[in-house]
Amino acid sequence: MKPAIPANTVERLSLYRRLLEAWLEKGTTSLYSHQIASMACVTPAQVRRDLMAIGYTGSPSKGYSVDALEESIGLFLGSDRVRKIALVGMGNLGRALTTYFTSRVPRFRMAAAFDTDPRKTGRVIAGCMVYGIEEIPRIIPAEGIRTAVLALPADSAQEMADRLVNAGIKGILNYAPVPLRLPADVFLENRDVTASLEKVAFFSGQPREGS
Amino acid sequence: MKPAIPANTVERLSLYRRLLEAWLEKGTTSLYSHQIASMACVTPAQVRRDLMAIGYTGSPSKGYSVDALEESIGLFLGSDRVRKIALVGMGNLGRALTTYFTSRVPRFRMAAAFDTDPRKTGRVIAGCMVYGIEEIPRIIPAEGIRTAVLALPADSAQEMADRLVNAGIKGILNYAPVPLRLPADVFLENRDVTASLEKVAFFSGQPREGS
DNA sequence: GTAACGCTGTTACTGTTTTCACAACACTCA
DNA sequence: TGAGTGTTGTGAAAACAGTAACAGCGTTAC
Ligand SMILES: NC(=O)c1ccc[n+]([C@@H]2O[C@H](COP(=O)([O-])OP(=O)(O)OC[C@H]3O[C@@H](n4cnc5c(N)ncnc54)[C@H](O)[C@@H]3O)[C@@H](O)[C@H]2O)c1
Ligand SMILES: NC(=O)c1ccc[n+]([C@@H]2O[C@H](COP(=O)([O-])OP(=O)(O)OC[C@H]3O[C@@H](n4cnc5c(N)ncnc54)[C@H](O)[C@@H]3O)[C@@H](O)[C@H]2O)c1
């Protein structure tokens, strides 16, 4: 994976876009890079660089047109259309994520969930149909889903990831706390909550119990 | 924040430590860098470099002693003691996180949760006492908590972050999808799920709905 | 005994991401 | 008009992260 666009830039663009939406509703027509930067808590130069990456150009006198920029970012990210996502593991985390996206982020739609628990399969949970994992090779291509979220126990994560990739998945957001070995053309993002918290706790100073 | 140790290294050390625990239970006494690297899906050079950062030294003939290394990393990360964490926002995500840490990661203990919902305050949820937010200035110093997790609606995140910092919090793991403005001595990690998914979806190819 | 091997620790290097700095331009105001 | 201000776009530099390379040294083979 040698992305023409840095992954960090994509993440920030997503944030800019969300911030711009709020200004759009307020009726603001244009913003300067330092205003966007201030809201996003980054430097103005960073904002200009990121916008340069998607080829959007502002004017030195007026700054950036809010609605045109919002549309440009949307177009670039492909978030002008609803994106279908697959979820594997409809447990506590999976349900929370599904509820969240369904109610708050209509741009992403949990189009199918997969689970091994027979009490969950065949039902609609949090607005999302839960299938047995044997349905992966049928549903994923049929729905044309290319992106999946893994929220299942660590010991089955690798196997399910393999099955997803075989079914055509090209990007995985992994919440299971285990490194995954995947083909190079599949984009993988690990969100290891324990490691994140460990990092924050580490930099919080010396927070031992019983101190 | 100019960390002597790169944040990425800390995160990987957390992972190494978890992997080592599994080998420890199996009775393995020593491992080479390339074995650790293979499990963690990184290069052997990366492993050696990370271990160099914490000053741990292996032997060229035997590799790294599993138990001594596990202990060294634990000591370095401070995870030899239980760490107390505060949670703000005992909603779907907060409950999932609390359940997860309580049952799976005893090293981190959700020592106190705060919420505005009167149906939640004063009760124990997922094994964690939920207080009203007005209790923050009392509980945080009393318990000596330095690390907090934010899992509440975006519009109150900044205000709650400020209150936490005033109460002595030195590190925040933020799940609310807004950038936070904090003093430089407070470590902040944003986990914006939407931006993560946007990134993965972007690099998954062209996954529009209706394609 | 000693040559060959394989691993660590460390330094040098490569590539990527972020910041800096400034030319170029539009607009304001005297 | 023309100096002054403030912004963008972008080349250059810096900071950062990861990789490669290799000296040093036990260990093994013979
Ligand atoms: N809950 C959290 O806040 C949290 C945070 C970070 C990481 N995680 C990780 O996310 C994963 C899920 O966490 P959780 O709290 O939702 O756990 P959970 O036990 O509530 O849910 C796991 C779900 O996965 C299903 N499952 C089990 N094996 C499966 C398989 N082979 N294929 C498909 N589905 C399968 C189970 O039936 C269950 O519904 C775990 O790996 C956990 O470490 C959870
Ligand atoms: N659910 C998810 O999977 C998910 C994923 C990513 C991000 N998030 C973000 O995490 C946050 C919480 O998500 P959720 O799904 O748990 O929402 P939720 O509505 O289930 O829970 C929010 C909780 O915060 C409490 N709260 C509201 N205002 C508060 C305040 N000022 N102080 C303290 N507590 C307050 C509410 O009473 C509620 O218990 C949101 O910002 C959401 O954007 C959630």
Side-chain angles (χ1 to χ4, degrees):
Chain A
M1 296 282 332
K2 187 170 68 75
I5 301 287
N8 289 347
T9 295
V10 174
E11 237 165 327
R12 281 189 300 266
L13 286 170
S14 167
L15 173 61
Y16 300 156
R17 186 174 164 286
R18 203 181 319 149
L19 296 169
L20 289 172
E21 273 174 3
W23 283 100
L24 206 54
E25 280 169 22
K26 288 193 201 167
T28 310
T29 58
S30 66
L31 286 170
Y32 295 118
S33 64
H34 65 84
Q35 296 176 291
I36 299 173
S38 159
M39 289 184 292
C41 293
V42 298
T43 65
Q46 182 83 79
V47 172
R48 294 202 297 274
R49 253 285 156 234
D50 288 337
L51 299 189
M52 195 173 70
I54 64 168
Y56 186 82
T57 272
S59 101
S61 44
K62 295 290 177 188
Y64 301 94
S65 156
V66 176
D67 59 352
L69 178 54
E70 196 275 338
E71 197 186 328
S72 279
I73 297 178
L75 221 61
F76 177 79
L77 293 179
S79 41
D80 53 321
R81 294 275 184 287
V82 172
R83 289 156 169 279
K84 293 183 185 178
I85 310 292
L87 169 73
V88 184
M90 185 59 94
N92 290 320
L93 181 60
R95 200 166 42 239
L97 287 169
T98 306
T99 304
Y100 175 64
F101 284 114
T102 302
S103 66
R104 295 293 162 81
V105 196
R107 196 163 70 257
F108 291 110
R109 188 157 67 81
M110 284 291 182
F114 302 92
D115 206 301
T116 45
D117 188 337
R119 287 168 303 180
K120 291 173 180 166
T121 55
R123 293 178 46 204
V124 173
I125 298 181
C128 177
M129 183 66 193
V130 182
Y131 300 92
I133 55 171
E134 70 282 355
E135 300 271 40
I136 289 177
R138 187 172 67 82
I139 302 283
I140 298 284
E143 292 273 349
I145 302 174
R146 305 176 63 103
T147 308
V149 175
L150 248 50
L152 42 65
D155 46 22
S156 41
Q158 179 68 60
E159 193 205 327
M160 289 304 127
D162 291 340
R163 292 202 198 190
L164 288 170
V165 170
N166 284 338
I169 288 293
K170 290 295 176 197
I172 292 180
L173 179 54
N174 174 39
Y175 282 97
V178 14
L180 297 180
R181 199 170 297 278
L182 298 178
D185 67 328
V186 178
F187 186 88
L188 171 66
E189 180 82 4
N190 287 302
R191 285 280 102 121
D192 185 331
V193 180
T194 303
S196 298
L197 192 50
E198 192 110 63
K199 179 165 66 168
V200 176
F202 177 81
F203 288 112
S204 302
Q206 51 278 44
R208 322 294 169 75
E209 169 127 315
S211 67
Chain B
M1 295 288 328
K2 188 171 68 74
I5 302 286
N8 289 346
T9 294
V10 173
E11 240 165 326
R12 280 190 299 267
L13 285 169
S14 168
L15 172 60
Y16 300 156
R17 186 174 166 285
R18 202 181 320 148
L19 296 168
L20 288 172
E21 273 174 3
W23 282 100
L24 205 55
E25 279 169 22
K26 287 194 200 165
T28 309
T29 58
S30 65
L31 286 170
Y32 295 118
S33 64
H34 64 84
Q35 297 175 289
I36 298 173
S38 159
M39 289 185 291
C41 294
V42 297
T43 64
Q46 182 83 80
V47 172
R48 293 202 298 275
R49 185 174 248 281
D50 288 337
L51 299 188
M52 192 174 68
I54 64 167
Y56 186 83
T57 272
S59 100
S61 44
K62 295 290 176 188
Y64 301 93
S65 155
V66 176
D67 59 351
L69 178 54
E70 196 276 336
E71 197 185 329
S72 279
I73 298 178
L75 220 61
F76 177 79
L77 293 179
S79 42
D80 54 321
R81 294 275 185 287
V82 171
R83 289 156 169 280
K84 294 183 184 177
I85 311 291
L87 170 72
V88 183
M90 185 59 94
N92 291 320
L93 181 60
R95 201 167 40 242
L97 288 168
T98 306
T99 304
Y100 175 64
F101 284 114
T102 302
S103 66
R104 295 292 162 82
V105 196
R107 197 162 70 256
F108 291 110
R109 188 156 68 79
M110 284 291 183
F114 302 93
D115 205 300
T116 44
D117 188 337
R119 287 168 302 181
K120 291 173 181 168
T121 56
R123 293 177 48 202
V124 173
I125 298 180
C128 179
M129 183 66 193
V130 183
Y131 301 92
I133 55 170
E134 70 282 355
E135 300 270 40
I136 289 176
R138 187 174 66 83
I139 303 283
I140 299 285
E143 292 272 350
I145 303 173
R146 305 175 62 103
T147 308
V149 176
L150 247 50
L152 42 65
D155 46 23
S156 41
Q158 180 68 61
E159 192 206 327
M160 290 303 127
D162 291 339
R163 292 201 197 192
L164 289 169
V165 170
N166 284 338
I169 288 294
K170 290 294 176 197
I172 292 180
L173 180 54
N174 174 39
Y175 282 98
V178 288
L180 297 179
R181 197 170 298 277
L182 298 177
D185 68 326
V186 178
F187 185 89
L188 171 65
E189 181 82 5
N190 287 303
R191 286 282 101 123
D192 185 332
V193 180
T194 303
S196 298
L197 192 51
E198 192 110 61
K199 178 164 68 169
V200 176
F202 178 81
F203 288 111
S204 302
Q206 51 279 43
R208 323 295 170 75
E209 167 127 318
S211 69

